[in-house]
Amino acid sequence: MRLTDILRDQHAQLYVLLDELQGVGLAGPEGRERLRKARQAMVAHLALEDSRLYPALQAHPSTSTLARRYVGEMQQLTPALLAFFDAYHEGNADPEAFSRSLGQLLAVLKQRIGREENQLYPAYEAHCEPTGLPPTQA
């Protein structure tokens, strides 16, 4: 499976978890479990981008400027994303405040994910993705 397919699948899984969280709310063990899983999914996704996607994009002359811009944005965005999860992990927040914060998080994520899937991932696929050709036989 291509790296960008894995990253897109992770986006979809994150959306599902956050939509479920929005539906059940934070109160009760089910909401806290969804929050925990969403945080884990977010951290895993960010780690994969940091370890594989951005280094490849930064190394290619055609994508290095784009990569630097996206990395810089994520350096600012990541602490805010993680702060959301950390602020609500105990589950004792005001339901309305939580709902507003979750709505803001979803809006930010949808914008960022849309840009990644429409700009960043196609650039990776065009310039950095391994060709998948089998090695030559001796």
Side-chain angles (χ1 to χ4, degrees):
M1 182 178 265
R2 299 182 323 171
L3 174 61
T4 51
D5 291 336
I6 294 167
L7 293 169
R8 286 182 180 101
D9 285 348
Q10 289 177 337
H11 285 163
Q13 292 168 8
L14 187 58
Y15 277 141
V16 167
L17 289 167
L18 292 173
D19 285 343
E20 289 174 353
L21 180 59
Q22 199 168 33
V24 299
L26 192 57
E30 186 178 358
R32 286 190 302 279
E33 180 64 13
R34 291 286 185 280
L35 183 72
R36 185 187 66 74
K37 285 183 178 182
R39 187 185 196 286
Q40 284 180 331
M42 176 73 67
V43 169
H45 179 76
L46 294 173
L48 186 57
E49 285 183 337
D50 287 346
S51 67
R52 298 200 34 213
L53 181 74
Y54 295 133
L57 287 164
Q58 289 172 320
H60 196 282
S62 297
T63 57
S64 63
T65 301
L66 179 69
R68 278 194 305 277
R69 186 174 78 231
Y70 273 80
V71 167
E73 290 172 5
M74 281 314 298
Q75 288 173 342
Q76 294 178 350
L77 186 56
T78 297
L81 295 173
L82 297 178
F84 166 83
F85 291 107
D86 294 343
Y88 294 109
H89 79 277
E90 290 185 18
N92 55 1
D94 172 57
E96 288 181 26
F98 173 73
S99 181
R100 274 193 309 277
S101 293
L102 181 55
Q104 291 170 345
L105 174 78
L106 282 167
V108 168
L109 284 178
K110 285 180 182 181
Q111 180 184 31
R112 173 63 187 212
I113 287 171
R115 289 178 51 236
E116 286 182 358
E117 291 185 358
N118 291 320
Q119 295 175 4
L120 196 65
Y121 296 175
Y124 175 87
E125 291 164 353
H127 299 287
C128 306
E129 189 168 65
T131 61
L133 297 175
T136 57
Q137 296 185 6

